[in-house]
Amino acid sequence: MDHAAWNTVDSLVAWLDAGSDLPPETRTILQILKITEEAGEVAEAVIGATGQNPRKGYSHTWEDVQAELCDVIVTAMVALTRVNPDARQVFADNLSRIAARSLAGPAPAASPEPR
């Protein structure tokens, strides 16, 4: 991930910290919980983009889903930075580990078509 993205995350952490009088440990815990909140907004957007809520119908677009997914990613990056100041390296190391584990073997088999 490029340095500009991580620099922006560092700025967001500083901005959030400046606006909070909570202890650092509490900020970290709440930031981790925020990931779940944002993931719920992704789910809501997918339900809205597919029209699966009979009361609301098509209330979201796939662009809304994309934006909500970005919110999850940024929120997780902020949380990782709060947990470990060397978040850039932690992320890079884990991405490499995941790639090695996942990309080393054959591609997953496609699911059979439902009958």
Side-chain angles (χ1 to χ4, degrees):
M1 189 162 293
D2 68 36
H3 292 292
W6 283 107
N7 290 341
T8 300
V9 169
D10 290 340
S11 296
L12 288 168
V13 171
W15 175 74
L16 289 166
D17 286 348
S20 177
D21 58 357
L22 296 172
E25 183 177 283
T26 302
R27 286 183 227 160
T28 299
I29 291 167
L30 292 173
Q31 188 68 45
I32 293 168
L33 292 174
K34 181 81 173 156
I35 297 168
T36 304
E37 178 189 358
E38 295 295 344
E41 291 176 13
V42 172
E44 179 182 14
V46 169
I47 290 167
T50 57
Q52 295 307 300
N53 183 332
R55 195 170 43 82
K56 295 181 181 178
Y58 289 90
S59 58
H60 291 75
T61 66
W62 285 104
E63 288 78 18
D64 294 328
V65 174
Q66 293 170 36
E68 295 299 345
L69 285 168
C70 289
D71 287 352
V72 171
I73 293 166
V74 171
T75 301
M77 291 172 75
V78 169
L80 181 58
T81 300
R82 288 188 183 282
V83 170
N84 187 327
D86 196 20
R88 297 169 197 224
Q89 190 61 52
V90 171
F91 179 78
D93 291 348
N94 278 276
L95 184 58
S96 293
R97 177 186 57 79
I98 292 164
R101 177 187 71 208
S102 301
L103 302 177
S111 299
E113 291 292 320
R115 294 184 178 206

